[in-house]
Amino acid sequence: GAVVSQHPSRVICKSGTSVKIECRSLDFQATTMFWYRQFPKKSLMLMATSNEGSKATYEQGVEKDKFLINHASLTLSTLTVTSAHPEDSSFYICSGGWGDTQYFGPGTRLTVL
Amino acid sequence: QKEVEQNSGPLSVPEGAIASLNCTYSDRGSQSFFWYRQYSGKSPELIMFIYSNGDKEDGRFTAQLNKASQYVSLLIRDSQPSDSATYLCAVNKADTNAGKSTFGDGTTLTVKP
């Protein structure tokens, strides 16, 4: 099956700093990548959809200036959480779209102190 | 009404029994249907997809789709404790970005030894 990697798997940072999360499709070209966040025991929440070479489309209520998404190539998308605060602590998951199917990365657990 | 609805559970079955997970969707134009499994603290992994009415079997898993009733289900035969997880139903609408799915909130399954 299609493989998606994420880096880092876990990050702890101080409040006010920025954190970058990388999402790579390893064995396929993902024209579309999706970013989700998930709080403990809660459902997946789609944050944004990114298409290679164009601006990301953000879901309602997601601050695009806070969650910067770059999809520079068919195999790499990045999410930068700017000026992170404790309420941004969550499990961030990316997925790559291939055909009409999504393949998820392993996720990044962000803790903001 | 949510676009994709699942029984929240938890659903508990004894080892060896059949677990039945149900999902309904509101958009009659939906074309692709997916089941993902998510273990606690992990990201979702694709189990099955189904496009046509009827049953699709893969090992111990059977997906069933009834577009007239806007209903999709997942049956797990000979349930094992390792099947204990949250199962997410996902639906793709006809006019959405490739791979963009609408997810249900998930059903938590516990298989008791």
Side-chain angles (χ1 to χ4, degrees):
Chain A
V3 180
V4 175
S5 70
Q6 267 184 259
H7 179 80
S9 59
R10 186 179 295 268
V11 58
I12 301 173
C13 69
K14 293 182 178 180
S15 185
T17 60
S18 294
V19 175
K20 180 186 281 190
I21 302 170
E22 288 188 351
C23 177
R24 293 183 184 270
S25 56
L26 298 184
D27 54 0
F28 68 102
Q29 293 183 325
T31 53
T32 307
M33 285 187 172
F34 304 91
W35 287 95
Y36 296 83
R37 65 188 296 182
Q38 187 175 39
F39 293 106
K41 299 189 184 301
K42 299 295 184 183
S43 56
L44 284 174
M45 188 194 87
L46 179 65
M47 299 175 67
T49 301
S50 76
N51 292 297
E52 184 262 339
S54 60
K55 290 184 178 180
T57 301
Y58 290 82
E59 296 298 304
Q60 192 173 8
V62 178
E63 299 174 61
K64 62 180 180 181
D65 294 330
K66 181 168 183 63
F67 299 100
L68 301 179
I69 292 172
N70 184 278
H71 192 162
S73 77
L74 288 173
T75 58
L76 174 64
S77 177
T78 60
L79 167 68
T80 301
V81 183
T82 62
S83 186
H85 289 96
E87 57 266 30
D88 299 322
S89 298
S90 188
F91 190 41
Y92 291 86
I93 312 171
C94 72
S95 70
W98 190 35
D100 64 352
T101 305
Q102 290 189 46
Y103 296 91
F104 286 87
T108 296
R109 193 162 302 282
L110 170 64
T111 302
V112 185
L113 302 177
Chain B
Q1 180 188 7
K2 292 183 178 178
E3 293 184 55
V4 178
E5 294 211 52
Q6 297 181 247
N7 293 332
S8 60
L11 173 66
S12 180
V13 300
E15 184 174 357
I18 296 175
S20 178
L21 304 162
N22 304 317
C23 174
T24 58
Y25 58 95
S26 60
D27 186 345
R28 191 170 286 280
S30 300
Q31 295 188 337
S32 309
F33 307 87
F34 306 85
W35 283 100
Y36 291 84
R37 175 176 63 198
Q38 186 175 22
Y39 291 113
S40 181
K42 303 293 184 182
S43 66
E45 57 178 318
L46 180 67
I47 299 176
M48 292 191 70
F49 55 87
I50 186 167
Y51 302 135
S52 304
N53 279 328
D55 296 358
K56 179 181 179 182
E57 187 175 317
D58 183 1
R60 296 187 296 112
F61 299 95
T62 299
Q64 299 175 317
L65 174 62
N66 184 325
K67 289 187 178 180
S69 300
Q70 295 173 238
Y71 175 93
V72 58
S73 66
L74 179 70
L75 300 178
I76 306 175
R77 291 182 300 281
D78 188 23
S79 296
Q80 301 297 308
S82 58
D83 295 325
S84 298
T86 297
Y87 290 80
L88 303 171
C89 171
V91 175
N92 288 16
K93 299 177 184 178
D95 60 348
T96 56
N97 208 328
K100 183 173 183 179
S101 300
T102 302
F103 285 83
D105 290 340
T107 298
T108 299
L109 170 67
T110 300
V111 180
K112 296 187 175 181

